[in-house]
């Protein structure tokens, strides 16, 4: 298909598509004349992922390029591509090593993961951005004096485990390994606001049950 | 206590405390001389909440002031103060009414909440920022062609329900209604990165189980 059709089918303006092409977020089309290129279904799929990352995930262009490079890297197996792509996503502030609460955060996060029956290698945990994000989050709770020991964190970890099964079931609905890696990245980003908004709505509901009229 | 002690006990620099006082994020101390004021345990607690909102939640000062006004409003009951404070938190982009996917998002979100046994009044759902956030999140999934019907969303809603029970149990560990409202707001913000990082770690674990060596 030509640029105009790619724009129509994706709902992304031709100006934005040209910008993504310039920024190498989208592979170039197959050139057919001096001024026209031909695009295919893979471009359409990639455009969907780019929009998920940039418009919904609000991920900087340079970070999105890193995520996509991992998704595309055919030299590696699916698990490794998936892992690298997810790790390239933004993970919030890094742990502040000058803050004593960070040591508590790291100890608690390590203890929590040890309690779960996971294959996760704790020796190299600090190499994982999601682990460092967890350390920083627990450190913030600790620094502000809120309860954040493993007894408080385990219920969250168990819900996260159950959600990951739902997430991966959804990913496996996609046919090819390439589509599965793309979907895993997009759905990780797209389901975060779903989860956070549902938690806030459920909190309002539960507050109403506990503190509402009738009690 | 004097400013220096408030700074030492809270771990917040005197310059930052003075900034919070100027921005009315912290109520003024009781003036004892022309240059000195006296602060109490309530200032210390409030400082903790301000840091949770601004440093961890990265909430703009003007929004934080709105959240705190709701927390402080003694004229209203606990449920109403709590609801208003949580609603004043940032909720991400608003639904784009010019996008046809938004209608799908709203219909799906309404259907989802109808399936849950909640007291939530669907007639006024659009008045709730968390509902609009859910509508926008489902619309993004739909626009990008990802599955987002109630069958896909219900497992997330059920986990959110379970997390809300854990969240409110934690809130009820605090003694007074004022402390409970403060804790509810702080814990809503502080546990979001805990939940998101644990979901990413659990996804890595589940991917490893499904796609890792041995399969």
């Amino acid at each position: 298909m030509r640029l105009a059709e790619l724009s129509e089918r994706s709902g992304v303006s031709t100006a934005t598509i040209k910008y993504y092409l310039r920024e190498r977020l989208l592979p170039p089309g197959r050139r057919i004349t001096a001024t026209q290129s031909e695009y295919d279904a893979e471009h359409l799929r990639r455009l969907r992922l780019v929009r998920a990352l940039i418009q919904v995930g609000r991920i900087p262009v340079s970070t999105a390029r890193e995520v996509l490079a991992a998704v595309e890297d055919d030299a590696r197996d699916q698990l490794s591509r998936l892992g690298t792509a997810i790790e390239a996503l933004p993970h919030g502030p890094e742990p502040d090593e000058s803050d004593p609460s960070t040591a508590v955060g790291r100890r608690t996060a390590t203890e929590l993961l040890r309690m779960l029956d996971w294959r996760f290698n704790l020796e190299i945990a600090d190499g994982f951005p999601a682990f460092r994000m967890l350390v920083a989050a627990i450190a913030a709770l600790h620094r502000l004096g809120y309860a954040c020991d493993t007894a408080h964190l385990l219920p969250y970890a168990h819900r996260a485990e159950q959600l990951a099964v739902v997430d991966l079931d959804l990913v496996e609905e996609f046919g090819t390994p390439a589509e599965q890696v793309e979907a895993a990245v997009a759905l990780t980003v797209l389901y975060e606001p779903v989860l956070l908004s549902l938690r806030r709505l459920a909190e309002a509901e539960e507050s109403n049950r506990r503190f509402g009229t009738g009690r």
Side-chain angles (χ1 to χ4, degrees), chain A residues 3 12-26 47 50 54 59-62 65:
Chain A
L3 186 66
V12 181
S13 72
T14 55
T16 302
I17 295 176
K18 284 177 181 170
Y19 170 70
Y20 290 163
L21 286 165
R22 272 199 310 279
E23 291 289 334
R24 290 176 290 118
L25 292 171
L26 210 56
L47 208 41
V50 170
I54 292 186
I59 291 168
V61 166
S62 59
R65 202 184 291 124

Side-chain angles (χ1 to χ4, degrees), chain A residues 129-206:
Chain A
F131 180 80
R132 296 199 301 274
M133 181 182 175
L134 177 62
V135 169
I138 300 173
L141 281 161
H142 180 263
R143 189 170 56 242
L144 298 173
Y146 289 105
C148 56
D149 48 26
T150 51
H152 283 97
L153 294 165
L154 262 180
Y156 291 87
H158 288 312
R159 295 315 156 257
E161 277 182 324
Q162 295 163 353
L163 287 172
V165 172
V166 176
D167 292 336
L168 270 288
D169 283 349
L170 198 50
V171 165
E172 290 205 285
E173 287 181 14
F174 289 81
T176 69
E179 282 175 304
Q180 288 184 357
V181 173
E182 283 190 1
V185 174
L187 293 171
T188 292
V189 171
L190 293 169
Y191 267 95
E192 287 188 352
V194 169
L195 184 57
L196 297 186
S197 57
L198 283 171
R199 172 170 174 250
R200 289 196 189 173
L201 286 168
E203 280 181 351
E205 176 67 21
E206 186 65 22

Side-chain angles (χ1 to χ4, degrees), chain A residues 49-83:
Chain A
L49 177 57
V50 170
R51 289 185 83 197
L53 294 175
I54 292 186
Q55 288 188 4
V56 184
R58 293 165 174 254
I59 291 168
V61 166
S62 59
T63 308
R65 202 184 291 124
E66 245 178 275
V67 174
L68 295 169
V71 167
E72 272 169 2
D73 188 353
D74 289 330
R76 297 186 305 156
D77 67 17
Q78 194 181 359
L79 183 65
S80 148
R81 281 155 75 185
L82 184 56

